Amino acid sequence: VVVLGLLLGAGAWSAESLGTISGIVLSAVSGAPLASSTVVLSQADGAPLRTVTADRRGRYVFDGLAAGQYAVKASRPGFATGRYGQQAWNHTGRPIELGAGAGFTADVRLHRLGVVTGAVVDENGEGAPGLTVNAVTVSPAGASGRTSSAGITDDRGVFRIPGLRPGRYRVRTAPRQLEDGTGLLPSYSPGTLDQQEARVVTVEVDRETTGISIQVLAGKLARLTGFVPAAARHKDAQVTVTLFRDEDSRQVAAGPGGQFGFSEVVPGRYTLVVQLRSSEASLAAYQPLDLSGDLEGLYVNLSAAPEVQVRLLDEKGVPVTDPQFVIFLGRIENAARTTPLRVEGTVAANLMPGRWRFYLILPETHVVESIRVGDEEALEGFVLLPGRKATAAIRVARRAGRVQGRVTDASGRPARGLPVVCYPLAADNRLRLGGFRTARTSLTGDYRFGGLPEGEYLVFASPIEDFQPDEHLEALRERLRPQRVTASKESPLDLRVLE
């Protein structure tokens, strides 16, 4: 009886020592509850623990929680992800200190993503119904980016494009073939075919950008048809035909006899890539095209699909077989990037023709020294054409540098769960690392970056989630002192949160 009493007492004490975090997900503007929002409970350093769905009144509960430090974030379609305690829509949140058996109320406010509205009219000023209108991101260098979202014009030619993250966009119509044989060309606001002459629209959260007008321009859309004779010689052949232009691509499957076609093609310069896969062969074609009008009956010959033999070597030229070294190949042709392919073994075969790049995951003790394909340096990439078997030599060296330290806030307290960015100033080092590195501080505010090539870096902690240093590089250079990383050495660097 005494033992049973002790056990029951221990169980009661344990239950009483568990706490609860609850709250409501609300609109940051109207204050209305946001039903069916997804709410995630994490440790303060960002490690996710549980996920629940808010009820019809926007309420959520996480119970049975041990004392500790937590973070809560919420999301809903059409809204930016919100975090408890954040100071701005894109900032990190505030950690929750949960005592033993305590309850904590953590309401989360979500900001609606931006909206662009306007109208599309024809040359007579009448609304153009049923047209797709795209918002295309603008990079800091002013180049066109990827289509972010789209809307369709109603019977008045009016469109609405929701769900846009803050940033700069160009607004453009999609092409359409008309019944009389003419077409509507992709036209940028206010009414131009040239993206450099297009109006740039700034989008913000909780704001509808209105009055975007586009006069759609008429012109001749092209038709491309062709034939892949090799398809008829392989009964089980699967043939795909891809038409690339800048960051856009269109793909069709060829028929049993190898016939294919594209309609509503905007005149311009393209790259045509054909791939044939069968039990007997893997073939391909790569052909630049200048389409100024219809092109009928294009005859496409195929050659063996390109492949690359990959040799991974250490600084002494000895082959590396350690499974911690992982090699990927990514196609970067025409900015229409594909999902990187993992290189299994020493040969990457049956590849799509075009320009490729190597990406590597290495132990933090090693760095990429060089990449050569044939006799040429290939750190930035290399071209693979049909019928070509290339040989790549990737050299790695045990000479990586490290940076580590602690991040504190303005009051000198450890900054928990905060993003830290390590940005290589040398372009070659950005290529070696596949860009820049990010980490998140621990519960004690500590961070660490390993596997760094020797050189100078901008290392900083920011309260902004998903901070893109390329977009603010000039300002960062003015505010921050570069950190020198030396091969095979550790560089201590404590940081204050960058406001």
Side-chain angles (χ1 to χ4, degrees), residues 429-444:
N429 282 344
R430 291 197 293 275
L431 292 171
R432 290 184 174 92
L433 294 174
F436 59 92
R437 293 278 179 86
T438 60
R440 196 173 288 272
T441 57
S442 68
L443 296 178
T444 56

Side-chain angles (χ1 to χ4, degrees), residues 64-409:
L65 301 177
Q69 301 169 355
Y70 297 93
V72 172
K73 66 179 180 180
S75 60
R76 192 174 192 259
F79 290 79
T81 298
R83 296 167 175 82
Y84 168 74
Q86 64 186 168
Q87 298 299 308
W89 74 271
N90 59 348
H91 280 206
T92 57
R94 186 167 70 245
I96 297 168
E97 299 274 0
L98 187 66
F104 193 96
T105 300
D107 294 343
V108 182
R109 299 182 181 275
L110 303 188
H111 294 264
R112 188 179 294 275
L113 292 171
V115 178
V116 170
T117 63
V120 180
V121 298
D122 60 21
E123 62 270 30
N124 301 311
E126 288 296 313
L131 277 181
T132 299
V133 185
N134 299 310
V136 183
T137 59
V138 178
S139 74
S144 175
R146 294 185 179 277
T147 299
S148 177
S149 190
I152 298 177
T153 58
D154 63 14
D155 60 312
R156 303 164 297 168
V158 175
F159 66 87
R160 185 175 190 272
I161 307 176
L164 297 174
R165 291 187 63 81
R168 300 164 69 234
Y169 296 83
R170 294 185 178 97
V171 184
R172 179 186 68 190
T173 62
R176 177 196 283 177
Q177 188 72 44
L178 301 179
E179 294 180 358
D180 63 0
T182 62
L184 299 178
L185 301 177
S187 304
Y188 290 93
S189 173
T192 178
L193 302 178
D194 186 350
Q195 70 174 25
Q196 300 304 321
E197 298 176 359
R199 174 181 175 181
V200 175
V201 179
T202 299
V203 172
E204 300 174 0
V205 293
D206 298 323
R207 174 186 164 193
E208 187 165 308
T209 303
T210 61
I212 306 303
S213 62
I214 306 175
Q215 180 180 332
V216 66
L217 303 175
K220 175 69 174 176
L221 295 173
R223 174 173 171 78
L224 169 64
T225 64
F227 173 62
V228 184
R233 298 195 292 270
H234 299 270
K235 293 182 180 181
D236 61 343
Q238 294 184 335
V239 181
T240 58
V241 184
T242 308
L243 198 59
F244 290 100
R245 186 188 188 194
D246 297 327
E247 70 277 356
D248 297 324
S249 65
R250 295 173 61 183
Q251 187 176 88
V252 297
Q259 68 277 10
F260 67 89
F262 294 92
S263 60
E264 299 185 4
V265 179
V266 179
R269 293 182 177 180
Y270 291 84
T271 302
L272 183 75
V273 176
V274 180
Q275 291 179 284
L276 181 149
R277 301 281 177 85
S278 76
S279 58
E280 301 172 331
S282 179
L283 307 174
Y286 177 94
Q287 184 171 345
L289 293 175
D290 193 348
L291 294 176
S292 56
D294 292 342
L295 179 57
E296 305 279 356
L298 179 66
Y299 193 88
V300 183
N301 285 317
L302 304 183
S303 302
E307 65 178 51
V308 182
Q309 182 176 9
V310 182
R311 300 171 63 222
L312 183 62
L313 309 169
D314 66 14
E315 57 265 47
K316 297 180 181 179
V318 177
V320 177
T321 59
D322 189 332
Q324 295 183 84
F325 294 78
V326 183
I327 303 173
F328 291 91
L329 268 171
R331 190 176 186 276
I332 55 174
E333 177 82 7
N334 300 329
R337 287 168 170 76
T338 56
T339 302
L341 306 172
R342 181 167 178 172
V343 178
E344 303 285 356
T346 59
V347 178
N350 306 327
L351 298 174
M352 177 183 283
R355 187 170 182 83
W356 291 78
R357 254 192 67 192
F358 282 106
Y359 300 88
L360 284 86
I361 298 176
L362 309 178
E364 67 169 24
T365 54
H366 285 71
V367 294
V368 175
E369 278 204 330
S370 66
I371 300 176
R372 300 189 69 83
V373 174
D375 296 327
E376 298 181 0
E377 177 62 45
L379 197 60
E380 295 186 60
F382 57 97
V383 175
L384 285 176
L385 297 177
R388 179 180 178 186
K389 294 183 178 181
T391 300
I394 304 174
R395 288 188 176 270
V396 296
R398 186 187 292 271
R399 55 193 309 271
R402 298 173 299 280
V403 175
Q404 69 175 28
R406 176 167 294 181
V407 180
T408 54
D409 60 21

